[in-house]
Short mmCIF file of all heavy atoms in Angstrom, two decimals:
data_model
loop_
_atom_site.label_atom_id
_atom_site.label_comp_id
_atom_site.label_asym_id
_atom_site.label_seq_id
_atom_site.Cartn_x
_atom_site.Cartn_y
_atom_site.Cartn_z
N LYS C 6 20.40 4.55 11.68
CA LYS C 6 20.03 5.23 12.78
C LYS C 6 19.01 4.43 13.70
O LYS C 6 18.32 3.67 13.06
CB LYS C 6 19.24 6.53 12.45
CG LYS C 6 20.11 7.54 11.73
CD LYS C 6 20.13 8.82 12.57
CE LYS C 6 20.89 10.01 11.91
NZ LYS C 6 20.25 10.59 10.80
N ARG C 24 -3.10 0.57 4.89
CA ARG C 24 -3.50 1.17 3.71
C ARG C 24 -3.48 2.69 3.86
O ARG C 24 -3.84 3.45 2.96
CB ARG C 24 -4.90 0.79 3.17
CG ARG C 24 -5.16 -0.77 3.17
CD ARG C 24 -4.40 -1.46 2.07
NE ARG C 24 -4.94 -1.14 0.81
CZ ARG C 24 -4.40 -1.59 -0.31
NH1 ARG C 24 -3.32 -2.37 -0.33
NH2 ARG C 24 -5.02 -1.27 -1.51
N GLY C 35 1.46 13.45 14.22
CA GLY C 35 1.71 14.86 14.57
C GLY C 35 2.95 15.44 14.05
O GLY C 35 3.62 16.28 14.61
N ILE C 36 3.30 15.03 12.85
CA ILE C 36 4.48 15.59 12.13
C ILE C 36 4.07 15.89 10.73
O ILE C 36 2.97 15.63 10.28
CB ILE C 36 5.66 14.55 12.06
CG1 ILE C 36 5.16 13.30 11.41
CG2 ILE C 36 6.17 14.21 13.45
CD1 ILE C 36 6.25 12.24 11.21
N SER C 37 4.89 16.71 10.17
CA SER C 37 4.61 17.18 8.75
C SER C 37 4.65 16.06 7.75
O SER C 37 5.37 15.05 7.98
CB SER C 37 5.43 18.37 8.30
OG SER C 37 6.74 17.77 7.87
N ARG C 38 3.95 16.18 6.60
CA ARG C 38 3.95 15.05 5.64
C ARG C 38 5.34 14.86 5.13
O ARG C 38 5.79 13.70 4.86
CB ARG C 38 2.98 15.57 4.41
CG ARG C 38 3.02 14.69 3.27
CD ARG C 38 2.17 15.19 2.20
NE ARG C 38 2.61 16.23 1.47
CZ ARG C 38 3.25 16.09 0.26
NH1 ARG C 38 3.38 14.88 -0.29
NH2 ARG C 38 3.72 17.14 -0.47
N ASN C 39 6.11 15.90 4.90
CA ASN C 39 7.53 15.85 4.37
C ASN C 39 8.30 14.91 5.32
O ASN C 39 9.04 14.02 4.86
CB ASN C 39 8.16 17.18 4.23
CG ASN C 39 8.26 17.58 2.79
OD1 ASN C 39 8.18 16.74 1.94
ND2 ASN C 39 8.35 18.89 2.57
N THR C 40 8.21 15.14 6.59
CA THR C 40 8.93 14.40 7.60
C THR C 40 8.58 13.04 7.63
O THR C 40 9.37 12.06 7.66
CB THR C 40 8.86 15.05 8.89
OG1 THR C 40 9.05 16.43 8.90
CG2 THR C 40 9.73 14.34 10.03
N ARG C 44 11.02 9.91 6.85
CA ARG C 44 11.27 8.89 7.77
C ARG C 44 10.95 7.48 7.32
O ARG C 44 11.67 6.49 7.45
CB ARG C 44 10.46 9.15 9.16
CG ARG C 44 11.15 10.20 9.97
CD ARG C 44 10.36 10.51 11.20
NE ARG C 44 11.03 11.39 12.12
CZ ARG C 44 11.73 11.08 13.12
NH1 ARG C 44 11.94 9.79 13.41
NH2 ARG C 44 12.29 12.01 13.89
P DA F 6 26.04 17.39 8.62
OP1 DA F 6 26.81 16.15 8.56
OP2 DA F 6 25.83 18.18 7.49
"O5'" DA F 6 24.54 17.05 9.27
"C5'" DA F 6 24.49 16.60 10.57
"C4'" DA F 6 23.02 16.70 11.07
"O4'" DA F 6 22.62 18.09 11.20
"C3'" DA F 6 22.03 16.12 10.06
"O3'" DA F 6 21.28 15.11 10.72
"C2'" DA F 6 21.11 17.30 9.63
"C1'" DA F 6 21.28 18.31 10.82
N9 DA F 6 21.12 19.72 10.38
C8 DA F 6 21.87 20.37 9.42
N7 DA F 6 21.51 21.63 9.26
C5 DA F 6 20.55 21.80 10.31
C6 DA F 6 19.72 22.90 10.57
N6 DA F 6 19.92 24.07 10.09
N1 DA F 6 18.86 22.68 11.62
C2 DA F 6 18.70 21.55 12.20
N3 DA F 6 19.48 20.38 11.92
C4 DA F 6 20.34 20.63 10.92
P DA F 7 20.17 14.26 9.76
OP1 DA F 7 20.29 12.96 10.29
OP2 DA F 7 20.36 14.52 8.36
"O5'" DA F 7 18.87 14.92 10.37
"C5'" DA F 7 18.70 15.03 11.76
"C4'" DA F 7 17.34 15.87 11.93
"O4'" DA F 7 17.63 17.27 11.54
"C3'" DA F 7 16.21 15.43 11.15
"O3'" DA F 7 15.08 15.25 12.05
"C2'" DA F 7 15.88 16.58 10.13
"C1'" DA F 7 16.50 17.75 10.87
N9 DA F 7 16.92 18.84 10.01
C8 DA F 7 17.92 18.72 8.97
N7 DA F 7 18.04 19.86 8.28
C5 DA F 7 17.22 20.77 8.96
C6 DA F 7 17.07 22.21 8.72
N6 DA F 7 17.69 22.93 7.81
N1 DA F 7 16.13 22.77 9.69
C2 DA F 7 15.60 21.99 10.61
N3 DA F 7 15.71 20.78 10.81
C4 DA F 7 16.52 20.14 10.01
P DT F 8 13.64 14.72 11.59
OP1 DT F 8 13.16 13.87 12.61
OP2 DT F 8 13.90 14.11 10.20
"O5'" DT F 8 12.80 16.01 11.39
"C5'" DT F 8 12.66 16.86 12.49
"C4'" DT F 8 11.94 18.16 12.22
"O4'" DT F 8 12.78 18.92 11.35
"C3'" DT F 8 10.63 17.85 11.54
"O3'" DT F 8 9.59 18.39 12.25
"C2'" DT F 8 10.86 18.51 10.07
"C1'" DT F 8 11.87 19.57 10.42
N1 DT F 8 12.74 19.94 9.23
C2 DT F 8 12.78 21.37 8.89
O2 DT F 8 12.11 22.25 9.38
N3 DT F 8 13.55 21.66 7.83
C4 DT F 8 14.25 20.73 7.04
O4 DT F 8 14.98 21.02 6.06
C5 DT F 8 14.25 19.36 7.54
C7 DT F 8 14.96 18.33 6.78
C6 DT F 8 13.47 19.06 8.58
P DT F 9 8.11 18.19 11.85
OP1 DT F 9 7.28 18.19 13.12
OP2 DT F 9 8.02 17.04 10.98
"O5'" DT F 9 7.73 19.48 10.98
"C5'" DT F 9 8.02 20.82 11.57
"C4'" DT F 9 7.87 21.92 10.54
"O4'" DT F 9 8.96 21.76 9.63
"C3'" DT F 9 6.66 21.72 9.74
"O3'" DT F 9 5.77 22.83 10.06
"C2'" DT F 9 7.09 21.83 8.19
"C1'" DT F 9 8.54 22.30 8.41
N1 DT F 9 9.42 21.88 7.34
C2 DT F 9 10.07 22.77 6.53
O2 DT F 9 9.91 23.95 6.66
N3 DT F 9 10.92 22.20 5.57
C4 DT F 9 11.21 20.93 5.44
O4 DT F 9 12.11 20.56 4.56
C5 DT F 9 10.54 19.96 6.28
C7 DT F 9 10.75 18.48 6.21
C6 DT F 9 9.64 20.51 7.22
P DG F 10 4.16 22.69 9.70
OP1 DG F 10 3.41 23.45 10.88
OP2 DG F 10 3.86 21.34 9.33
"O5'" DG F 10 4.02 23.65 8.40
"C5'" DG F 10 4.49 24.95 8.47
"C4'" DG F 10 4.59 25.46 7.10
"O4'" DG F 10 5.75 24.94 6.44
"C3'" DG F 10 3.43 25.24 6.18
"O3'" DG F 10 2.93 26.47 5.68
"C2'" DG F 10 3.94 24.31 5.08
"C1'" DG F 10 5.48 24.61 5.04
N9 DG F 10 6.31 23.50 4.64
C8 DG F 10 6.20 22.16 5.08
N7 DG F 10 7.16 21.44 4.51
C5 DG F 10 7.88 22.28 3.74
C6 DG F 10 8.96 22.03 2.93
O6 DG F 10 9.52 20.95 2.68
N1 DG F 10 9.48 23.16 2.29
C2 DG F 10 8.85 24.45 2.39
N2 DG F 10 9.43 25.43 1.78
N3 DG F 10 7.80 24.72 3.21
C4 DG F 10 7.38 23.54 3.81
P DA F 11 1.58 26.43 4.87
OP1 DA F 11 0.83 27.69 5.30
OP2 DA F 11 0.92 25.09 4.82
"O5'" DA F 11 2.12 26.84 3.32
"C5'" DA F 11 3.22 27.62 3.04
"C4'" DA F 11 3.78 27.37 1.76
"O4'" DA F 11 4.76 26.23 1.77
"C3'" DA F 11 2.70 27.01 0.75
"O3'" DA F 11 2.66 28.18 -0.16
"C2'" DA F 11 3.32 25.72 0.03
"C1'" DA F 11 4.64 25.67 0.60
N9 DA F 11 5.09 24.23 0.73
C8 DA F 11 4.51 23.31 1.53
N7 DA F 11 5.01 22.19 1.43
C5 DA F 11 6.12 22.31 0.59
C6 DA F 11 7.15 21.47 0.10
N6 DA F 11 7.32 20.16 0.45
N1 DA F 11 8.08 22.03 -0.78
C2 DA F 11 7.88 23.33 -1.22
N3 DA F 11 6.99 24.23 -0.86
C4 DA F 11 6.22 23.66 0.08
P DG F 12 1.55 28.09 -1.33
OP1 DG F 12 1.21 29.59 -1.68
OP2 DG F 12 0.49 27.24 -0.89
"O5'" DG F 12 2.32 27.44 -2.61
"C5'" DG F 12 3.60 27.83 -2.89
"C4'" DG F 12 4.24 27.00 -4.01
"O4'" DG F 12 4.65 25.80 -3.42
"C3'" DG F 12 3.22 26.54 -5.03
"O3'" DG F 12 3.81 26.78 -6.39
"C2'" DG F 12 2.90 25.13 -4.81
"C1'" DG F 12 4.35 24.70 -4.21
N9 DG F 12 4.18 23.48 -3.37
C8 DG F 12 3.34 23.21 -2.34
N7 DG F 12 3.53 22.11 -1.78
C5 DG F 12 4.56 21.50 -2.63
C6 DG F 12 5.21 20.29 -2.33
O6 DG F 12 5.00 19.35 -1.49
N1 DG F 12 6.34 20.18 -3.22
C2 DG F 12 6.76 21.10 -4.13
N2 DG F 12 7.67 20.84 -4.92
N3 DG F 12 6.02 22.26 -4.35
C4 DG F 12 5.00 22.41 -3.45
P DC F 13 2.70 26.99 -7.56
OP1 DC F 13 2.99 28.37 -8.12
OP2 DC F 13 1.42 26.62 -7.16
"O5'" DC F 13 3.31 25.98 -8.61
"C5'" DC F 13 4.72 25.70 -8.84
"C4'" DC F 13 4.89 24.35 -9.29
"O4'" DC F 13 5.04 23.44 -8.13
"C3'" DC F 13 3.88 23.73 -10.14
"O3'" DC F 13 4.04 23.99 -11.45
"C2'" DC F 13 3.84 22.32 -9.84
"C1'" DC F 13 4.70 22.16 -8.58
N1 DC F 13 4.09 21.48 -7.53
C2 DC F 13 4.48 20.13 -7.15
O2 DC F 13 5.38 19.70 -7.72
N3 DC F 13 3.93 19.63 -6.01
C4 DC F 13 2.88 20.18 -5.33
N4 DC F 13 2.32 19.55 -4.38
C5 DC F 13 2.40 21.42 -5.78
C6 DC F 13 3.09 22.01 -6.75
P DG F 19 -7.67 3.63 -3.13
OP1 DG F 19 -7.46 3.57 -1.62
OP2 DG F 19 -7.34 2.35 -3.86
"O5'" DG F 19 -9.02 4.17 -3.45
"C5'" DG F 19 -9.43 5.43 -3.09
"C4'" DG F 19 -10.82 5.82 -3.71
"O4'" DG F 19 -10.58 6.15 -5.16
"C3'" DG F 19 -11.88 4.64 -3.70
"O3'" DG F 19 -13.06 5.18 -3.26
"C2'" DG F 19 -11.92 4.22 -5.22
"C1'" DG F 19 -11.57 5.52 -5.85
N9 DG F 19 -11.01 5.35 -7.21
C8 DG F 19 -10.10 4.38 -7.61
N7 DG F 19 -9.75 4.38 -8.84
C5 DG F 19 -10.56 5.58 -9.28
C6 DG F 19 -10.54 6.12 -10.68
O6 DG F 19 -9.93 5.71 -11.70
N1 DG F 19 -11.38 7.19 -10.78
C2 DG F 19 -12.15 7.67 -9.63
N2 DG F 19 -12.81 8.70 -9.85
N3 DG F 19 -12.11 7.10 -8.40
C4 DG F 19 -11.28 6.04 -8.26
#
Side-chain angles (χ1 to χ4, degrees):
Chain C
K6 291 240 181 77
R24 315 283 292 176
I36 57 180
S37 80
R38 173 177 79 94
N39 255 338
T40 307
R44 280 177 177 267

